[in-house]
Amino acid sequence: MGSLPAAVVTKRFVTTAGVAVRAQALPLIQAQLRAAGVEVVPVFAAPASFFGQILPQGLFDVALFSWVGSPVGSWADVYGCDAPINFTGYCQRLVTADFDQADRILDERRHSRVFNRADRGLARDAPTIPLFQFIFTAAYDTSVGNFVFLPWNPFWKAENWWLAE
């Protein structure tokens, strides 16, 4: 008697259409997961459908997207129990409590201590898996004062820039 074939698990990887780096990443992900017995079915959706319907309604097995900078005023909105943009459904009451507490602390040391505790809980549970990080760079002359680099808006607060004499 021959051995039974290994069970194959199929997962829909949903991402936004038109993003070259995601189109390049999916075949690499497919190959690695296929070796582990997971078949990846790529689904490319228009950004409006992806962010407006697919993510909020949980219509995916795996979602491939990125936050550019902080997505909201608080990470509790992303990882808190029943949070408005918690697309993973992750719920760890202690992590949620830590994020809520950190949002109310003004003292930098106490805030860091509580936020790091929440971060350790996230690292232990791994509700999301960072695959890669884009490198953003900016070049500017040191005579430009008040320059702050934000990757999603290189001219952020440009009205407050000034030139040194």
Side-chain angles (χ1 to χ4, degrees), residues 72-150:
V72 290
S74 169
W75 285 104
D77 291 343
V78 178
Y79 293 113
C81 296
D82 301 319
I85 56 174
N86 181 347
F87 303 131
T88 65
Y90 174 75
C91 182
Q92 211 301 345
R93 299 277 178 210
L94 295 175
V95 170
T96 300
D98 285 341
F99 278 134
D100 289 342
Q101 182 183 3
D103 286 346
R104 294 187 307 272
I105 296 174
L106 299 177
D107 178 72
E108 190 174 320
R109 285 184 186 198
R110 288 184 56 230
H111 177 270
S112 294
R113 191 168 41 250
V114 173
F115 198 85
N116 285 337
R117 187 172 59 220
D119 199 31
R120 283 191 299 273
L122 284 174
R124 193 174 37 250
D125 298 337
T128 57
I129 301 171
L131 298 177
F132 49 86
Q133 175 66 44
F134 291 107
I135 304 295
F136 295 103
T137 57
Y140 70 99
D141 190 303
T142 56
S143 66
V144 176
N146 212 31
F147 173 80
V148 177
F149 177 65
L150 294 179

